Amino acid sequence: MTSSVQTLVQPFRLFEVRLTGRRPLSDNFVRFTFSGADLDRFADNGYDQRIKLIFPVAGDDFGDGLGTGSGAGADSGCAALMGSQEDWYTVWRDLPDETRPPIRTYTIRAVRPEQGEIDVDIVLHGLVGVASTWASTAPLGSSLIICGPNADHDGVHGGIDFHLPARTGRILVAGDETALPAIANILEKLPADARGCALVEVPDAGDSAALPSHPGIEVIVVGRGARAHGEALVPLVREHAGRLLDDAAAPVTFSSAASAGPVALDDVDVDHDMLWEVPEEDPEAAGTPLYAWLAGEAGVIKLLRRHLVAERGIDRRSVAFMGYWRHGKSEGD
Ligand SMILES: Cc1cc2nc3c(=O)[nH]c(=O)nc-3n(C[C@H](O)[C@H](O)[C@H](O)COP(=O)(O)OP(=O)(O)OC[C@H]3O[C@@H](n4cnc5c(N)ncnc54)[C@H](O)[C@@H]3O)c2cc1C
């Protein structure tokens, strides 16, 4: 009797990359291009595909050439991760604080496998936080690790929270600058006959340069200026959600859940809990005329969630709400 040992191909894997391009898109956005020997194996799924950027701690010279990691010292946290692809997260968790590389979540903006390149659009929010500081100061040639979808994996990769229903009346996509790269991908990938609107609050109106257009989606970008986060976005969503619901030619019959009207919501304490609610069921099953995707600062997203689900009675199975960051809290907290 023969037995065969199959190696499990993980949906996500680590890629060692180097910064080979940095192009300002606006005052607050920079497009970073990364190159890597095996980026031809980076899967291109589009939409809001999330990835992890893993930053070397100071003095960690883990890479002396693409894909080799051979310049790493014995105490290099990044080299330890690259040396344990299958189980890198456990290795990461067990590293001493001084060498454990910080991790932040981003959206993949473009994948060019044939050129071994990927793009990530990063908002500069000052010299605070590992990622923003790195993005403001890292010279070309800097190396880091990206955890991204593995093209060699046959199944679904995960890490995508925009699930276009098979049929829906209108689409509402809204968020702040951290959601802008995902919204740009969504606009690029939506079918031409999709209808709805994309509402984005950014630091300055000029940051809209980073957004493409779509024939059926009205794109509205507002500059925040000196206002607080959400002060422009919340009224905009309130106004347009009402209009979209009025406009939506309901393509499917309302289910009893959808027509039940306003519902009570569990409160989410965004200071302690993650605000992350993505429909698990096919939104079509809910029979709602509106599919909504909302991402940005958690406190603001919580207000929007309350408005859509609790006040307007939109079926929660057709809305995805994601707190991408929290005021006064690091992603590492
Ligand atoms: C799924 C997902 C996808 C994301 N995609 C992108 C993307 O493509 N591009 C992008 O730029 N960001 C994106 N983000 C947001 C990004 O991960 C956070 O902004 C992250 O906190 C930045 O890390 P940091 O090290 O700079 O700051 P942290 O160490 O996390 O935080 C330090 C301080 O900065 C504050 N802070 C964090 N982000 C901001 C901000 N944007 N504006 C003002 N203050 C801030 C925090 O409240 C904290 O007080 C995404 C987040 C998620 C969850």
Side-chain angles (χ1 to χ4, degrees):
M1 202 168 127
T2 55
S3 69
S4 66
V5 179
Q6 289 196 324
T7 316
L8 186 67
V9 179
Q10 305 283 349
F12 275 76
R13 54 159 287 191
L14 301 182
F15 297 87
E16 187 182 334
V17 299
R18 256 181 212 288
L19 178 60
T20 50
R22 97 190 269 137
R23 181 162 73 88
L25 300 175
S26 64
D27 283 354
N28 299 291
F29 265 99
V30 179
R31 174 156 301 161
F32 291 85
T33 297
F34 297 101
S35 303
D38 42 8
L39 285 179
D40 60 329
R41 308 317 306 145
F42 200 103
D44 185 7
N45 297 321
Y47 287 134
D48 55 340
Q49 175 74 68
R50 62 175 175 270
I51 57 172
K52 300 285 181 188
L53 303 190
I54 304 175
F55 298 92
V57 291
D60 181 348
D61 58 344
F62 73 102
D64 68 350
L66 289 176
T68 66
S70 56
D75 58 351
S76 163
C78 286
L81 301 189
M82 288 308 297
S84 58
Q85 276 274 1
E86 300 291 299
D87 201 20
W88 72 267
Y89 190 71
T90 310
V91 172
W92 178 84
R93 234 184 20 213
D94 292 344
L95 283 169
D97 290 349
E98 323 78 75
T99 58
R100 187 183 309 113
I103 299 179
R104 297 291 183 270
T105 310
Y106 281 84
T107 306
I108 187 73
R109 183 65 182 91
V111 182
R112 291 180 295 281
E114 62 296 340
Q115 284 146 261
E117 287 181 354
I118 56 174
D119 293 338
V120 182
D121 292 353
I122 298 183
V123 185
L124 306 181
H125 63 90
L127 297 178
V128 258
V130 172
S132 185
T133 302
W134 184 93
S136 305
T137 57
L140 291 180
S142 300
S143 47
L144 55 74
I145 296 175
I146 295 185
C147 179
N150 182 1
D152 292 319
H153 175 76
D154 280 340
V156 175
H157 294 107
I160 293 183
D161 293 311
F162 184 92
H163 299 293
L164 182 65
R167 286 193 300 159
T168 188
R170 291 291 184 272
I171 293 167
L172 170 63
V173 173
D176 66 15
E177 59 268 38
T178 62
L180 188 140
I183 293 174
N185 291 345
I186 290 168
L187 289 172
E188 283 172 0
K189 198 158 176 171
L190 274 178
D193 55 358
R195 295 288 174 268
C197 63
L199 310 172
V200 194
E201 181 188 294
V202 288
D204 299 307
D207 295 318
S208 61
L211 270 178
S213 60
H214 180 285
I217 304 288
E218 184 183 5
V219 179
I220 301 177
V221 182
V222 284
R224 177 181 310 117
R227 289 178 286 182
H229 281 268
E231 225 177 286
L233 187 64
V234 172
L236 202 61
V237 169
R238 294 179 85 97
E239 176 193 338
H240 287 270
R243 186 177 60 75
L244 288 173
L245 282 166
D246 289 344
D247 287 355
V252 285
T253 312
F254 277 92
S255 71
S256 55
S259 59
V263 295
L265 278 181
D266 298 338
D267 193 38
V268 176
D269 177 358
V270 292
D271 287 337
H272 297 99
D273 305 326
M274 283 291 287
L275 183 75
W276 204 279
E277 190 177 303
V278 175
E280 285 172 17
E281 295 173 49
D282 177 358
E284 190 186 17
T288 175
L290 183 72
Y291 172 68
W293 179 101
L294 305 157
E297 199 284 319
V300 175
I301 298 302
K302 180 177 164 177
L303 290 178
L304 298 179
R305 167 187 188 251
R306 184 179 305 144
H307 174 65
L308 292 185
V309 177
E311 293 171 24
R312 288 205 181 271
I314 295 174
D315 194 306
R316 61 198 298 172
R317 290 171 298 176
S318 68
V319 281
F321 297 94
M322 288 141 295
Y324 269 17
W325 63 284
R326 292 179 297 170
H327 254 306
K329 300 263 180 191
S330 164
E331 188 179 337
D333 289 348

